[in-house]
Amino acid sequence: MFTVSTVNVNGLRAAAKKGFTEWLAATSADVVACQEVRADLAALPGALREPPGWHTAHAVSATPGRNGVSLHSRAEPDAVSVGIGAAEFEDSGRYVEMWLPDVVVGSLYLPSGDVGTPRQDEKERFMAAFGSYLATLRDKAASEGKEVVVMGDWNIAHTEADLKNWRGNRRNSGFLPEERAWLGGVFDDLGYVDVQRQLDPDGPGPYTWWSYRGKAFDNDSGWRIDLVVATPGLARRCTSVTVERAASYAQRWSDHAPVTAVFEGA
């Protein structure tokens, strides 16, 4: 069995005070990907920066308090790389990757965007660069006999089944036609597989992010934007995907929930 989990922690230090540390200690995952770590590594306690029992890699943003992704692996990686080879995003803290014996794992925090602002332009540039990177990664991994799994906060709801209020979000970043088409291309053109949708093609949800505003969590009015995306050989071995939704609003330690996928024979 090979188990992976991904979660946007919405600030690692804050999440650690609310329950992330206990969750990490209890998880059965072989690899954990975190996004929005938003931390100066030098200022983090050692056990939070490099948890005991894990091999950890971080990609830190050059802008203090922004972005940041990490990977925790129980097995020691053969290699670690940061970034997607695009100069604009090299120090943005949006992607880190580990090469393990049989699989390449990546932690992704795709920009959120905001229609009509430079943030949306940045998101579109990142998507273009990351699409090219995914194609190269797929081929490089295949040449070495490895599968690929890229997990994280993709910040795009692919279909109407992936967010509760899709009608009201058709002109908002995260559900724009061009964003959804790009993500569709990752699946249809590049051959990657959204393992949740492979097991549950119709939905709705399960959602992975709920706004802190209003009653979004209590009403399960969320978005499914935290995805585990794998190459076909690995995806075929996926037996379950679980959204670890908190039992109550008060028990949340992030506005996202961990997503855990289990693969057989990987």
Side-chain angles (χ1 to χ4, degrees), residues 9-46:
V9 297
N10 194 26
L12 180 59
R13 282 172 292 190
K17 294 175 182 177
K18 298 176 183 177
F20 168 77
T21 302
E22 290 79 6
W23 175 85
L24 184 65
T27 184
S28 61
D30 298 289
V31 179
V32 171
C34 297
Q35 303 84 44
E36 267 201 286
V37 173
R38 299 203 311 254
D40 176 1
L41 296 183
L44 285 177

PDB file of all heavy atoms in Angstrom, residues 9-46:
ATOM      1  N   VAL A   9      -2.661  24.135   4.800  1.00  0.00           N
ATOM      2  CA  VAL A   9      -2.722  24.332   6.249  1.00  0.00           C
ATOM      3  C   VAL A   9      -3.140  25.748   6.635  1.00  0.00           C
ATOM      4  O   VAL A   9      -3.421  26.017   7.806  1.00  0.00           O
ATOM      5  CB  VAL A   9      -1.377  23.981   6.920  1.00  0.00           C
ATOM      6  CG1 VAL A   9      -1.056  22.504   6.730  1.00  0.00           C
ATOM      7  CG2 VAL A   9      -0.247  24.869   6.401  1.00  0.00           C
ATOM      8  N   ASN A  10      -3.151  26.675   5.659  1.00  0.00           N
ATOM      9  CA  ASN A  10      -3.579  28.059   5.929  1.00  0.00           C
ATOM     10  C   ASN A  10      -2.755  28.678   7.058  1.00  0.00           C
ATOM     11  O   ASN A  10      -3.292  29.280   7.984  1.00  0.00           O
ATOM     12  CB  ASN A  10      -5.075  28.101   6.262  1.00  0.00           C
ATOM     13  CG  ASN A  10      -5.635  29.511   6.222  1.00  0.00           C
ATOM     14  OD1 ASN A  10      -5.116  30.376   5.539  1.00  0.00           O
ATOM     15  ND2 ASN A  10      -6.720  29.748   6.953  1.00  0.00           N
ATOM     16  N   GLY A  11      -1.436  28.519   6.941  1.00  0.00           N
ATOM     17  CA  GLY A  11      -0.514  29.016   7.951  1.00  0.00           C
ATOM     18  C   GLY A  11      -0.105  27.916   8.903  1.00  0.00           C
ATOM     19  O   GLY A  11      -0.906  27.498   9.741  1.00  0.00           O
ATOM     20  N   LEU A  12       1.134  27.430   8.770  1.00  0.00           N
ATOM     21  CA  LEU A  12       1.559  26.254   9.526  1.00  0.00           C
ATOM     22  C   LEU A  12       1.571  26.505  11.029  1.00  0.00           C
ATOM     23  O   LEU A  12       1.124  25.658  11.814  1.00  0.00           O
ATOM     24  CB  LEU A  12       2.948  25.813   9.061  1.00  0.00           C
ATOM     25  CG  LEU A  12       3.538  24.591   9.760  1.00  0.00           C
ATOM     26  CD1 LEU A  12       2.630  23.380   9.589  1.00  0.00           C
ATOM     27  CD2 LEU A  12       4.939  24.293   9.237  1.00  0.00           C
ATOM     28  N   ARG A  13       2.065  27.656  11.452  1.00  0.00           N
ATOM     29  CA  ARG A  13       2.137  27.907  12.895  1.00  0.00           C
ATOM     30  C   ARG A  13       0.742  27.962  13.522  1.00  0.00           C
ATOM     31  O   ARG A  13       0.528  27.414  14.606  1.00  0.00           O
ATOM     32  CB  ARG A  13       2.902  29.209  13.146  1.00  0.00           C
ATOM     33  CG  ARG A  13       4.415  29.052  13.031  1.00  0.00           C
ATOM     34  CD  ARG A  13       5.130  30.371  13.081  1.00  0.00           C
ATOM     35  NE  ARG A  13       4.846  31.177  11.902  1.00  0.00           N
ATOM     36  CZ  ARG A  13       5.481  32.303  11.593  1.00  0.00           C
ATOM     37  NH1 ARG A  13       6.425  32.759  12.394  1.00  0.00           N
ATOM     38  NH2 ARG A  13       5.183  32.976  10.492  1.00  0.00           N
ATOM     39  N   ALA A  14      -0.194  28.597  12.830  1.00  0.00           N
ATOM     40  CA  ALA A  14      -1.558  28.654  13.348  1.00  0.00           C
ATOM     41  C   ALA A  14      -2.188  27.266  13.358  1.00  0.00           C
ATOM     42  O   ALA A  14      -2.856  26.885  14.329  1.00  0.00           O
ATOM     43  CB  ALA A  14      -2.399  29.611  12.506  1.00  0.00           C
ATOM     44  N   ALA A  15      -1.989  26.492  12.282  1.00  0.00           N
ATOM     45  CA  ALA A  15      -2.566  25.148  12.209  1.00  0.00           C
ATOM     46  C   ALA A  15      -2.003  24.244  13.294  1.00  0.00           C
ATOM     47  O   ALA A  15      -2.719  23.411  13.854  1.00  0.00           O
ATOM     48  CB  ALA A  15      -2.315  24.549  10.830  1.00  0.00           C
ATOM     49  N   ALA A  16      -0.713  24.400  13.585  1.00  0.00           N
ATOM     50  CA  ALA A  16      -0.078  23.556  14.602  1.00  0.00           C
ATOM     51  C   ALA A  16      -0.704  23.784  15.974  1.00  0.00           C
ATOM     52  O   ALA A  16      -0.809  22.855  16.781  1.00  0.00           O
ATOM     53  CB  ALA A  16       1.418  23.832  14.654  1.00  0.00           C
ATOM     54  N   LYS A  17      -1.135  25.009  16.236  1.00  0.00           N
ATOM     55  CA  LYS A  17      -1.754  25.311  17.521  1.00  0.00           C
ATOM     56  C   LYS A  17      -3.176  24.768  17.627  1.00  0.00           C
ATOM     57  O   LYS A  17      -3.701  24.603  18.727  1.00  0.00           O
ATOM     58  CB  LYS A  17      -1.776  26.829  17.735  1.00  0.00           C
ATOM     59  CG  LYS A  17      -0.398  27.448  17.875  1.00  0.00           C
ATOM     60  CD  LYS A  17      -0.491  28.961  17.968  1.00  0.00           C
ATOM     61  CE  LYS A  17       0.889  29.591  18.050  1.00  0.00           C
ATOM     62  NZ  LYS A  17       0.806  31.079  18.070  1.00  0.00           N
ATOM     63  N   LYS A  18      -3.776  24.481  16.458  1.00  0.00           N
ATOM     64  CA  LYS A  18      -5.185  24.077  16.447  1.00  0.00           C
ATOM     65  C   LYS A  18      -5.387  22.574  16.247  1.00  0.00           C
ATOM     66  O   LYS A  18      -6.507  22.084  16.378  1.00  0.00           O
ATOM     67  CB  LYS A  18      -5.921  24.818  15.331  1.00  0.00           C
ATOM     68  CG  LYS A  18      -5.941  26.331  15.489  1.00  0.00           C
ATOM     69  CD  LYS A  18      -6.608  26.976  14.278  1.00  0.00           C
ATOM     70  CE  LYS A  18      -6.600  28.480  14.337  1.00  0.00           C
ATOM     71  NZ  LYS A  18      -7.187  29.087  13.104  1.00  0.00           N
ATOM     72  N   GLY A  19      -4.321  21.847  15.846  1.00  0.00           N
ATOM     73  CA  GLY A  19      -4.514  20.408  15.663  1.00  0.00           C
ATOM     74  C   GLY A  19      -3.708  19.750  14.570  1.00  0.00           C
ATOM     75  O   GLY A  19      -3.713  18.519  14.443  1.00  0.00           O
ATOM     76  N   PHE A  20      -2.974  20.516  13.756  1.00  0.00           N
ATOM     77  CA  PHE A  20      -2.199  19.900  12.678  1.00  0.00           C
ATOM     78  C   PHE A  20      -1.148  18.942  13.220  1.00  0.00           C
ATOM     79  O   PHE A  20      -0.938  17.849  12.665  1.00  0.00           O
ATOM     80  CB  PHE A  20      -1.523  20.967  11.806  1.00  0.00           C
ATOM     81  CG  PHE A  20      -0.495  20.398  10.857  1.00  0.00           C
ATOM     82  CD1 PHE A  20      -0.880  19.751   9.695  1.00  0.00           C
ATOM     83  CD2 PHE A  20       0.865  20.479  11.145  1.00  0.00           C
ATOM     84  CE1 PHE A  20       0.055  19.197   8.830  1.00  0.00           C
ATOM     85  CE2 PHE A  20       1.815  19.937  10.288  1.00  0.00           C
ATOM     86  CZ  PHE A  20       1.410  19.295   9.127  1.00  0.00           C
ATOM     87  N   THR A  21      -0.457  19.332  14.279  1.00  0.00           N
ATOM     88  CA  THR A  21       0.612  18.495  14.820  1.00  0.00           C
ATOM     89  C   THR A  21       0.074  17.128  15.227  1.00  0.00           C
ATOM     90  O   THR A  21       0.680  16.085  14.931  1.00  0.00           O
ATOM     91  CB  THR A  21       1.283  19.179  16.019  1.00  0.00           C
ATOM     92  OG1 THR A  21       1.803  20.454  15.599  1.00  0.00           O
ATOM     93  CG2 THR A  21       2.414  18.337  16.563  1.00  0.00           C
ATOM     94  N   GLU A  22      -1.071  17.121  15.877  1.00  0.00           N
ATOM     95  CA  GLU A  22      -1.682  15.850  16.293  1.00  0.00           C
ATOM     96  C   GLU A  22      -2.137  15.043  15.080  1.00  0.00           C
ATOM     97  O   GLU A  22      -2.014  13.816  15.060  1.00  0.00           O
ATOM     98  CB  GLU A  22      -2.864  16.131  17.222  1.00  0.00           C
ATOM     99  CG  GLU A  22      -2.479  16.671  18.585  1.00  0.00           C
ATOM    100  CD  GLU A  22      -2.138  18.158  18.590  1.00  0.00           C
ATOM    101  OE1 GLU A  22      -2.306  18.824  17.549  1.00  0.00           O
ATOM    102  OE2 GLU A  22      -1.699  18.654  19.637  1.00  0.00           O
ATOM    103  N   TRP A  23      -2.675  15.743  14.080  1.00  0.00           N
ATOM    104  CA  TRP A  23      -3.097  15.035  12.860  1.00  0.00           C
ATOM    105  C   TRP A  23      -1.904  14.375  12.180  1.00  0.00           C
ATOM    106  O   TRP A  23      -1.976  13.203  11.767  1.00  0.00           O
ATOM    107  CB  TRP A  23      -3.782  16.016  11.901  1.00  0.00           C
ATOM    108  CG  TRP A  23      -4.142  15.382  10.590  1.00  0.00           C
ATOM    109  CD1 TRP A  23      -5.269  14.664  10.303  1.00  0.00           C
ATOM    110  CD2 TRP A  23      -3.344  15.373   9.402  1.00  0.00           C
ATOM    111  NE1 TRP A  23      -5.223  14.207   8.998  1.00  0.00           N
ATOM    112  CE2 TRP A  23      -4.049  14.630   8.428  1.00  0.00           C
ATOM    113  CE3 TRP A  23      -2.107  15.924   9.067  1.00  0.00           C
ATOM    114  CZ2 TRP A  23      -3.553  14.428   7.134  1.00  0.00           C
ATOM    115  CZ3 TRP A  23      -1.612  15.720   7.790  1.00  0.00           C
ATOM    116  CH2 TRP A  23      -2.332  14.977   6.833  1.00  0.00           C
ATOM    117  N   LEU A  24      -0.796  15.103  12.051  1.00  0.00           N
ATOM    118  CA  LEU A  24       0.389  14.550  11.386  1.00  0.00           C
ATOM    119  C   LEU A  24       0.920  13.345  12.150  1.00  0.00           C
ATOM    120  O   LEU A  24       1.337  12.342  11.554  1.00  0.00           O
ATOM    121  CB  LEU A  24       1.469  15.626  11.255  1.00  0.00           C
ATOM    122  CG  LEU A  24       2.721  15.211  10.484  1.00  0.00           C
ATOM    123  CD1 LEU A  24       2.392  14.926   9.018  1.00  0.00           C
ATOM    124  CD2 LEU A  24       3.804  16.289  10.574  1.00  0.00           C
ATOM    125  N   ALA A  25       0.892  13.417  13.472  1.00  0.00           N
ATOM    126  CA  ALA A  25       1.383  12.298  14.284  1.00  0.00           C
ATOM    127  C   ALA A  25       0.508  11.059  14.130  1.00  0.00           C
ATOM    128  O   ALA A  25       0.986   9.927  14.271  1.00  0.00           O
ATOM    129  CB  ALA A  25       1.448  12.711  15.752  1.00  0.00           C
ATOM    130  N   ALA A  26      -0.784  11.266  13.830  1.00  0.00           N
ATOM    131  CA  ALA A  26      -1.725  10.145  13.753  1.00  0.00           C
ATOM    132  C   ALA A  26      -1.891   9.589  12.347  1.00  0.00           C
ATOM    133  O   ALA A  26      -2.377   8.467  12.194  1.00  0.00           O
ATOM    134  CB  ALA A  26      -3.093  10.581  14.272  1.00  0.00           C
ATOM    135  N   THR A  27      -1.486  10.330  11.318  1.00  0.00           N
ATOM    136  CA  THR A  27      -1.767   9.886   9.954  1.00  0.00           C
ATOM    137  C   THR A  27      -0.986   8.628   9.601  1.00  0.00           C
ATOM    138  O   THR A  27       0.143   8.416  10.072  1.00  0.00           O
ATOM    139  CB  THR A  27      -1.442  10.988   8.936  1.00  0.00           C
ATOM    140  OG1 THR A  27      -1.832  10.541   7.625  1.00  0.00           O
ATOM    141  CG2 THR A  27       0.050  11.312   8.892  1.00  0.00           C
ATOM    142  N   SER A  28      -1.579   7.813   8.738  1.00  0.00           N
ATOM    143  CA  SER A  28      -0.903   6.613   8.239  1.00  0.00           C
ATOM    144  C   SER A  28      -0.258   6.867   6.887  1.00  0.00           C
ATOM    145  O   SER A  28       0.271   5.935   6.266  1.00  0.00           O
ATOM    146  CB  SER A  28      -1.912   5.465   8.119  1.00  0.00           C
ATOM    147  OG  SER A  28      -2.947   5.801   7.200  1.00  0.00           O
ATOM    148  N   ALA A  29      -0.267   8.104   6.418  1.00  0.00           N
ATOM    149  CA  ALA A  29       0.257   8.424   5.092  1.00  0.00           C
ATOM    150  C   ALA A  29       1.759   8.180   5.008  1.00  0.00           C
ATOM    151  O   ALA A  29       2.496   8.378   5.978  1.00  0.00           O
ATOM    152  CB  ALA A  29      -0.055   9.869   4.735  1.00  0.00           C
ATOM    153  N   ASP A  30       2.183   7.760   3.823  1.00  0.00           N
ATOM    154  CA  ASP A  30       3.613   7.629   3.539  1.00  0.00           C
ATOM    155  C   ASP A  30       4.213   8.967   3.126  1.00  0.00           C
ATOM    156  O   ASP A  30       5.402   9.214   3.352  1.00  0.00           O
ATOM    157  CB  ASP A  30       3.829   6.605   2.421  1.00  0.00           C
ATOM    158  CG  ASP A  30       3.338   5.232   2.803  1.00  0.00           C
ATOM    159  OD1 ASP A  30       3.973   4.597   3.656  1.00  0.00           O
ATOM    160  OD2 ASP A  30       2.295   4.800   2.266  1.00  0.00           O
ATOM    161  N   VAL A  31       3.394   9.810   2.494  1.00  0.00           N
ATOM    162  CA  VAL A  31       3.824  11.146   2.073  1.00  0.00           C
ATOM    163  C   VAL A  31       2.712  12.136   2.400  1.00  0.00           C
ATOM    164  O   VAL A  31       1.537  11.859   2.127  1.00  0.00           O
ATOM    165  CB  VAL A  31       4.148  11.199   0.562  1.00  0.00           C
ATOM    166  CG1 VAL A  31       4.560  12.611   0.161  1.00  0.00           C
ATOM    167  CG2 VAL A  31       5.231  10.199   0.190  1.00  0.00           C
ATOM    168  N   VAL A  32       3.083  13.262   2.967  1.00  0.00           N
ATOM    169  CA  VAL A  32       2.135  14.340   3.258  1.00  0.00           C
ATOM    170  C   VAL A  32       2.610  15.602   2.545  1.00  0.00           C
ATOM    171  O   VAL A  32       3.778  15.996   2.669  1.00  0.00           O
ATOM    172  CB  VAL A  32       2.016  14.598   4.767  1.00  0.00           C
ATOM    173  CG1 VAL A  32       1.192  15.853   5.037  1.00  0.00           C
ATOM    174  CG2 VAL A  32       1.390  13.400   5.470  1.00  0.00           C
ATOM    175  N   ALA A  33       1.705  16.222   1.794  1.00  0.00           N
ATOM    176  CA  ALA A  33       1.989  17.481   1.117  1.00  0.00           C
ATOM    177  C   ALA A  33       1.223  18.600   1.807  1.00  0.00           C
ATOM    178  O   ALA A  33       0.035  18.456   2.097  1.00  0.00           O
ATOM    179  CB  ALA A  33       1.577  17.394  -0.356  1.00  0.00           C
ATOM    180  N   CYS A  34       1.908  19.715   2.059  1.00  0.00           N
ATOM    181  CA  CYS A  34       1.265  20.875   2.692  1.00  0.00           C
ATOM    182  C   CYS A  34       1.421  22.092   1.787  1.00  0.00           C
ATOM    183  O   CYS A  34       2.441  22.256   1.118  1.00  0.00           O
ATOM    184  CB  CYS A  34       1.889  21.175   4.042  1.00  0.00           C
ATOM    185  SG  CYS A  34       1.712  19.873   5.276  1.00  0.00           S
ATOM    186  N   GLN A  35       0.409  22.933   1.817  1.00  0.00           N
ATOM    187  CA  GLN A  35       0.454  24.183   1.076  1.00  0.00           C
ATOM    188  C   GLN A  35       0.095  25.340   2.000  1.00  0.00           C
ATOM    189  O   GLN A  35      -0.494  25.145   3.053  1.00  0.00           O
ATOM    190  CB  GLN A  35      -0.510  24.166  -0.122  1.00  0.00           C
ATOM    191  CG  GLN A  35      -0.271  23.031  -1.105  1.00  0.00           C
ATOM    192  CD  GLN A  35      -0.949  21.750  -0.675  1.00  0.00           C
ATOM    193  OE1 GLN A  35      -2.108  21.771  -0.238  1.00  0.00           O
ATOM    194  NE2 GLN A  35      -0.247  20.628  -0.778  1.00  0.00           N
ATOM    195  N   GLU A  36       0.404  26.530   1.540  1.00  0.00           N
ATOM    196  CA  GLU A  36       0.216  27.759   2.331  1.00  0.00           C
ATOM    197  C   GLU A  36       0.843  27.614   3.709  1.00  0.00           C
ATOM    198  O   GLU A  36       0.236  27.942   4.730  1.00  0.00           O
ATOM    199  CB  GLU A  36      -1.258  28.158   2.419  1.00  0.00           C
ATOM    200  CG  GLU A  36      -1.663  29.142   1.340  1.00  0.00           C
ATOM    201  CD  GLU A  36      -2.920  29.912   1.682  1.00  0.00           C
ATOM    202  OE1 GLU A  36      -4.006  29.307   1.617  1.00  0.00           O
ATOM    203  OE2 GLU A  36      -2.820  31.108   1.978  1.00  0.00           O
ATOM    204  N   VAL A  37       2.085  27.140   3.719  1.00  0.00           N
ATOM    205  CA  VAL A  37       2.827  27.000   4.968  1.00  0.00           C
ATOM    206  C   VAL A  37       3.086  28.385   5.578  1.00  0.00           C
ATOM    207  O   VAL A  37       3.021  28.569   6.792  1.00  0.00           O
ATOM    208  CB  VAL A  37       4.142  26.235   4.722  1.00  0.00           C
ATOM    209  CG1 VAL A  37       5.014  26.223   5.971  1.00  0.00           C
ATOM    210  CG2 VAL A  37       3.834  24.809   4.280  1.00  0.00           C
ATOM    211  N   ARG A  38       3.399  29.363   4.725  1.00  0.00           N
ATOM    212  CA  ARG A  38       3.527  30.770   5.120  1.00  0.00           C
ATOM    213  C   ARG A  38       4.406  30.955   6.353  1.00  0.00           C
ATOM    214  O   ARG A  38       4.000  31.596   7.326  1.00  0.00           O
ATOM    215  CB  ARG A  38       2.152  31.392   5.372  1.00  0.00           C
ATOM    216  CG  ARG A  38       1.239  31.409   4.180  1.00  0.00           C
ATOM    217  CD  ARG A  38       0.178  32.480   4.282  1.00  0.00           C
ATOM    218  NE  ARG A  38      -0.525  32.504   5.539  1.00  0.00           N
ATOM    219  CZ  ARG A  38      -1.774  32.073   5.726  1.00  0.00           C
ATOM    220  NH1 ARG A  38      -2.455  31.584   4.697  1.00  0.00           N
ATOM    221  NH2 ARG A  38      -2.348  32.143   6.903  1.00  0.00           N
ATOM    222  N   ALA A  39       5.623  30.433   6.303  1.00  0.00           N
ATOM    223  CA  ALA A  39       6.473  30.507   7.485  1.00  0.00           C
ATOM    224  C   ALA A  39       7.927  30.759   7.104  1.00  0.00           C
ATOM    225  O   ALA A  39       8.416  30.264   6.082  1.00  0.00           O
ATOM    226  CB  ALA A  39       6.367  29.210   8.281  1.00  0.00           C
ATOM    227  N   ASP A  40       8.597  31.518   7.937  1.00  0.00           N
ATOM    228  CA  ASP A  40      10.044  31.654   7.890  1.00  0.00           C
ATOM    229  C   ASP A  40      10.621  30.410   8.555  1.00  0.00           C
ATOM    230  O   ASP A  40      10.455  30.208   9.769  1.00  0.00           O
ATOM    231  CB  ASP A  40      10.464  32.928   8.627  1.00  0.00           C
ATOM    232  CG  ASP A  40      11.970  33.087   8.716  1.00  0.00           C
ATOM    233  OD1 ASP A  40      12.710  32.226   8.184  1.00  0.00           O
ATOM    234  OD2 ASP A  40      12.422  34.069   9.330  1.00  0.00           O
ATOM    235  N   LEU A  41      11.286  29.567   7.784  1.00  0.00           N
ATOM    236  CA  LEU A  41      11.732  28.281   8.324  1.00  0.00           C
ATOM    237  C   LEU A  41      12.654  28.466   9.524  1.00  0.00           C
ATOM    238  O   LEU A  41      12.607  27.681  10.473  1.00  0.00           O
ATOM    239  CB  LEU A  41      12.436  27.474   7.233  1.00  0.00           C
ATOM    240  CG  LEU A  41      11.575  27.054   6.041  1.00  0.00           C
ATOM    241  CD1 LEU A  41      12.394  26.205   5.081  1.00  0.00           C
ATOM    242  CD2 LEU A  41      10.342  26.296   6.503  1.00  0.00           C
ATOM    243  N   ALA A  42      13.477  29.500   9.487  1.00  0.00           N
ATOM    244  CA  ALA A  42      14.413  29.711  10.590  1.00  0.00           C
ATOM    245  C   ALA A  42      13.688  30.021  11.897  1.00  0.00           C
ATOM    246  O   ALA A  42      14.223  29.777  12.983  1.00  0.00           O
ATOM    247  CB  ALA A  42      15.374  30.843  10.244  1.00  0.00           C
ATOM    248  N   ALA A  43      12.478  30.551  11.778  1.00  0.00           N
ATOM    249  CA  ALA A  43      11.716  30.919  12.976  1.00  0.00           C
ATOM    250  C   ALA A  43      10.840  29.789  13.487  1.00  0.00           C
ATOM    251  O   ALA A  43      10.262  29.895  14.580  1.00  0.00           O
ATOM    252  CB  ALA A  43      10.858  32.148  12.682  1.00  0.00           C
ATOM    253  N   LEU A  44      10.722  28.702  12.733  1.00  0.00           N
ATOM    254  CA  LEU A  44       9.873  27.591  13.150  1.00  0.00           C
ATOM    255  C   LEU A  44      10.588  26.710  14.179  1.00  0.00           C
ATOM    256  O   LEU A  44      11.796  26.482  14.073  1.00  0.00           O
ATOM    257  CB  LEU A  44       9.508  26.714  11.947  1.00  0.00           C
ATOM    258  CG  LEU A  44       8.468  27.220  10.965  1.00  0.00           C
ATOM    259  CD1 LEU A  44       8.322  26.226   9.820  1.00  0.00           C
ATOM    260  CD2 LEU A  44       7.115  27.443  11.640  1.00  0.00           C
ATOM    261  N   PRO A  45       9.876  26.189  15.150  1.00  0.00           N
ATOM    262  CA  PRO A  45      10.469  25.175  16.033  1.00  0.00           C
ATOM    263  C   PRO A  45      10.941  23.991  15.206  1.00  0.00           C
ATOM    264  O   PRO A  45      10.325  23.632  14.194  1.00  0.00           O
ATOM    265  CB  PRO A  45       9.306  24.777  16.948  1.00  0.00           C
ATOM    266  CG  PRO A  45       8.338  25.922  16.871  1.00  0.00           C
ATOM    267  CD  PRO A  45       8.474  26.491  15.491  1.00  0.00           C
ATOM    268  N   GLY A  46      12.035  23.373  15.638  1.00  0.00           N
ATOM    269  CA  GLY A  46      12.629  22.294  14.857  1.00  0.00           C
ATOM    270  C   GLY A  46      11.670  21.158  14.560  1.00  0.00           C
ATOM    271  O   GLY A  46      11.656  20.621  13.445  1.00  0.00           O
TER     272      GLY A  46
END
